[in-house]
């Protein structure tokens, strides 16, 4: 029996596998696909996710594979005002553009270094639970573990096998995402990366976005205006993409080849509980939402960073089982909020808006140019403003802790910092240089959030009561 089965080798599943293995938890990943899909999708790593990746030494390998471009700011609902994250005290204020499959390759390389087994071409066909563990059947293979985490996407097999409802609203449109080679282009086709508002175009019979990938390669996103799109499971054809390109970018824009293609919708759903017995849900298996603002990949990876250290601490006997309840109380609201802000963007971003919505867009665009409004939206979309409702009176508690040396967190363990010399010896605190804006002492969780903090008088009872304290002392 292994410790944890992770179903799904996407960014969420591989991030979780790395976090578990880093903590000494035996982990196996089951992936139904025989090979990785090399499609340019899910390619926006937001500033907060970059901070988390840097804590584990994973950011630089991803930067090395990123698409070459000028620094790209985030957006809200495709509106033409870039979101400025520099006011959030981060070393990574720009979105990192990198194809999802490249993210997966970096994560799988790290997972292999940590001893994780990734079994491809292994579709799960049954999941059985008992009070002692979970057994998965995948073809002729049966794997047992103490726990299972479903990271197998919007159409999660695990969720369906367990009969877990996926409430929400169905999509209102279906669109195409494809990597294409263009035989010829019109003057309407963009020639360089830029803010997303400069890459989108609407025409009488369709809308589209072409992102240059180098040479004659582009990532194309588009759809019709009438809402009468093919079904989600219907293959995308060269003729369909040629028609969309012609309507949006003119007769001179002609595709030579479609390298890969898929369909997506703006459906919004979230399961009520991220846990069903010994099975946990993360990423798109737990929540889906409209693809506005580049949120999906980031939300899933942050699920994994939250669950990983908690599950490892409990399985290794360093924390009580109650710690796992905080995965639901912390990440379900985080997911619900992303669903909220992506649904709100649907109003502004919809092609062919009504006259009233067009006026509202103008008003809101003006508001986005105000520094405080821009900062607020930048914090939401980047994840930098997200905080957890944790016990404690210090205002930093539950918030990200900026400005620390990322190398302190390479081991995936919590860090107790004492910059003001207010903690007694023997607590295992790391002496640190004072950081502007941070308290004299702070206990930082493995996912970079403050679990406890003090300016002068340290409340040691509150410190030692925190779950991270036992993990810190476990060695």
């Amino acid at each position: 029996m292994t410790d944890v089965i992770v179903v799904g080798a996407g960014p969420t599943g591989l991030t979780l596998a790395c976090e578990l293995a880093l903590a000494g938890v035996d982990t196996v990943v089951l992936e139904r696909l025989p090979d990785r899909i090399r499609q340019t999708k899910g390619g926006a790593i937001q500033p907060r996710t970059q901070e988390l990746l840097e804590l584990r030494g994973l950011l630089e390998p991803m930067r090395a594979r990123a698409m070459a471009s000028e620094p790209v700011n985030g957006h809200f609902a495709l509106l033409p005002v870039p979101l400025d994250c520099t006011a959030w005290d981060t070393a990574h204020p720009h979105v990192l553009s990198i194809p999802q499959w490249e993210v997966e390759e970096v994560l799988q390389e790290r997972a292999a270094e940590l001893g994780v087994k990734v079994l491809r071409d292994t579709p799960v066909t049954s999941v059985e639970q008992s009070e002692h563990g979970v057994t998965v059947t995948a073809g002729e293979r049966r794997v047992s573990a103490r726990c299972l985490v479903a990271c197998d996407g919007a159409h999660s097999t695990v969720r369906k096998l367990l009969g877990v409802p996926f409430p929400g609203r169905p999509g209102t449109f279906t669109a195409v995402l494809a990597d294409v080679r263009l035989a010829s282009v019109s003057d309407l086709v963009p020639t360089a990366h830029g803010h997303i508002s400069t890459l989108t175009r609407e025409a009488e019979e369709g809308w589209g976005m072409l992102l240059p990938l180098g040479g004659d390669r582009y990532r194309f996103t588009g759809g019709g205006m009438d809402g009468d799109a093919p079904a989600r499971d219907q293959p995308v054809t060269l003729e369909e993409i040629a028609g969309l390109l012609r309507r949006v970018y003119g007769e001179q824009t002609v595709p030579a080849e479609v390298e890969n293609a898929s369909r997506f919708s703006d459906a919004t759903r979230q399961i009520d509980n991220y846990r069903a017995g010994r099975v946990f849900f993360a990423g798109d298996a737990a929540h889906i939402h409209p693809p506005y603002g580049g949120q999906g990949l980031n939300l899933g990876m942050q699920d994994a960073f939250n669950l990983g250290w908690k599950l490892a601490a409990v399985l290794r006997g360093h924390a009580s089982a109650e710690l796992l309840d905080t995965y639901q109380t912390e990440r379900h609201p985080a997911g619900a909020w992303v669903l909220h802000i992506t649904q709100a963007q649907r109003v502004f971003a919809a092609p062919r808006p009504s006259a009233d919505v067009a006026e509202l867009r103008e008003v809101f665009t003006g508001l986005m140019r105000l520094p405080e409004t821009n900062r607020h939206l930048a914090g939401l979309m980047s994840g930098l403003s997200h905080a957890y409702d944790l016990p404690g009176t210090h205002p930093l508690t539950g918030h990200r802790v900026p400005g620390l040396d990322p190398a302190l967190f390479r081991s995936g363990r919590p860090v107790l910092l004492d910059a003001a010399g207010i903690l007694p010896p023997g607590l295992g605190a790391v002496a640190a240089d004072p950081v502007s804006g941070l308290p004299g002492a702070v206990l930082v969780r493995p996912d970079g959030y403050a679990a406890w903090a003090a300016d002068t008088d340290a409340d040691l009872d509150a410190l030692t009561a925190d779950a991270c304290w036992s993990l810190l002392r476990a060695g």
Side-chain angles (χ1 to χ4, degrees):
M1 175 182 286
T2 191
D3 289 324
V4 178
I5 299 169
V6 175
V7 180
T12 300
L14 291 172
T15 298
L16 179 64
C18 288
E19 289 292 281
L20 292 169
L22 186 62
V25 173
D26 190 25
T27 305
V28 61
V29 179
L30 307 181
E31 168 57 51
R32 66 178 180 84
L33 295 177
D35 299 298
R36 186 171 290 110
I37 298 176
R38 298 199 170 199
Q39 186 176 18
T40 311
K41 63 176 182 177
I45 301 184
Q46 297 288 351
R48 179 56 185 152
T49 309
Q50 292 178 56
E51 291 181 342
L52 292 167
L53 290 168
E54 188 176 37
L55 297 183
R56 304 294 187 264
L58 288 164
L59 182 57
E60 284 307 315
M62 292 194 185
R63 279 180 167 170
R65 295 168 176 253
M67 293 184 284
S69 66
E70 295 297 318
V72 175
N73 288 311
H75 72 93
F76 186 86
L78 308 178
L79 296 175
V81 180
L83 297 178
D84 183 5
C85 288
T86 57
W88 283 98
D89 189 17
T90 179
H92 312 292
H94 304 291
V95 175
L96 183 67
S97 298
I98 174 174
Q100 179 174 313
W101 66 269
E102 297 271 24
V103 173
E104 293 171 2
E105 286 204 344
V106 171
L107 292 171
Q108 184 158 335
E109 288 172 6
R110 175 60 58 86
E113 293 171 3
L114 294 169
V116 175
K117 301 173 185 175
V118 179
L119 305 178
R120 290 192 165 273
D121 199 13
T122 310
V124 172
T125 54
S126 76
V127 177
E128 305 166 49
Q129 288 199 71
S130 72
E131 60 178 315
H132 303 294
V134 182
T135 298
V136 168
T137 302
E140 298 181 355
R141 191 188 302 269
R142 284 176 65 84
V143 184
S144 296
R146 297 167 68 184
C147 292
L148 180 149
V149 185
C151 305
D152 52 344
H155 304 286
S156 170
T157 297
V158 174
R159 192 184 63 234
K160 293 175 182 177
L161 288 172
L162 294 180
V164 175
F166 203 26
R169 57 175 288 177
T172 62
F173 70 81
T174 300
V176 167
L177 176 65
D179 292 335
V180 301
R181 292 186 180 275
L182 298 184
S184 61
V185 300
S186 71
D187 292 340
L188 300 175
V189 173
T191 59
H193 285 250
H195 190 258
I196 195 168
S197 61
T198 68
L199 302 174
T200 57
R201 178 171 173 78
E202 296 178 8
E204 184 65 26
E205 297 181 350
W207 63 273
M209 179 175 67
L210 278 170
L211 177 68
L213 300 178
D216 61 352
R217 296 185 66 245
Y218 292 79
R219 184 184 72 181
F220 173 66
T221 310
M225 289 291 195
D226 55 10
D228 187 22
R232 281 287 305 272
D233 56 355
Q234 185 171 331
V236 180
T237 65
L238 176 64
E239 291 73 20
E240 180 183 355
I241 290 179
L244 286 169
L245 288 170
R246 183 171 59 252
R247 292 197 296 271
V248 179
Y249 293 97
E251 295 287 342
Q252 302 96 325
T253 305
V254 179
E257 178 187 3
V258 177
E259 295 180 335
N260 51 62
S262 59
R263 300 186 193 276
F264 66 92
S265 79
D266 62 339
T268 300
R269 300 184 183 277
Q270 184 181 32
I271 61 177
D272 292 329
N273 198 316
Y274 284 16
R275 181 179 183 179
R278 289 182 171 270
V279 176
F280 298 82
F281 296 88
D284 287 355
H287 42 69
I288 58 172
H289 54 80
Y292 299 124
Q295 300 295 294
L297 176 147
N298 297 271
L299 184 60
M301 292 178 75
Q302 290 178 38
D303 286 346
F305 278 112
N306 185 284
L307 177 60
W309 70 270
K310 296 174 180 178
L311 187 55
V314 172
L315 291 178
R316 297 194 67 198
H318 299 326
S320 66
E322 286 73 21
L323 179 61
L324 293 175
D325 295 337
T326 67
Y327 176 58
Q328 168 74 13
T329 59
E330 292 180 4
R331 291 310 297 171
H332 192 280
W337 182 247
V338 169
L339 267 61
H340 176 64
I341 61 175
T342 51
Q343 288 185 91
Q345 291 176 82
R346 179 195 282 115
V347 178
F348 288 138
R352 195 183 292 165
S354 68
D356 289 344
V357 170
E359 296 290 344
L360 183 60
R361 284 170 67 167
E362 289 296 317
V363 171
F364 198 83
T365 298
L367 289 173
M368 288 181 64
R369 294 193 172 96
L370 300 176
E372 281 304 307
T373 305
N374 195 287
R375 180 182 184 277
H376 175 71
L377 291 174
L380 291 180
M381 301 303 290
S382 66
L384 294 172
S385 66
H386 182 75
Y388 296 120
D389 185 14
L390 303 183
T393 58
H394 195 281
L396 184 65
T397 303
H399 292 259
R400 54 182 277 272
V401 184
L404 301 180
D405 181 359
L408 293 170
F409 298 89
R410 291 289 189 267
S411 67
R413 298 181 59 216
V415 177
L416 178 61
L417 294 168
D418 185 10
I422 63 175
L423 296 177
L427 294 183
V430 176
D433 294 330
V435 176
S436 177
L438 295 187
V442 58
L443 176 61
V444 187
R445 304 187 337 177
D447 57 359
Y449 291 89
W452 170 92
D455 290 306
T456 52
D457 298 323
D459 183 351
L460 297 184
D461 288 339
L463 170 61
T464 57
D466 191 89
C468 281
W469 173 253
S470 60
L471 183 56
L472 181 69
R473 305 301 289 174

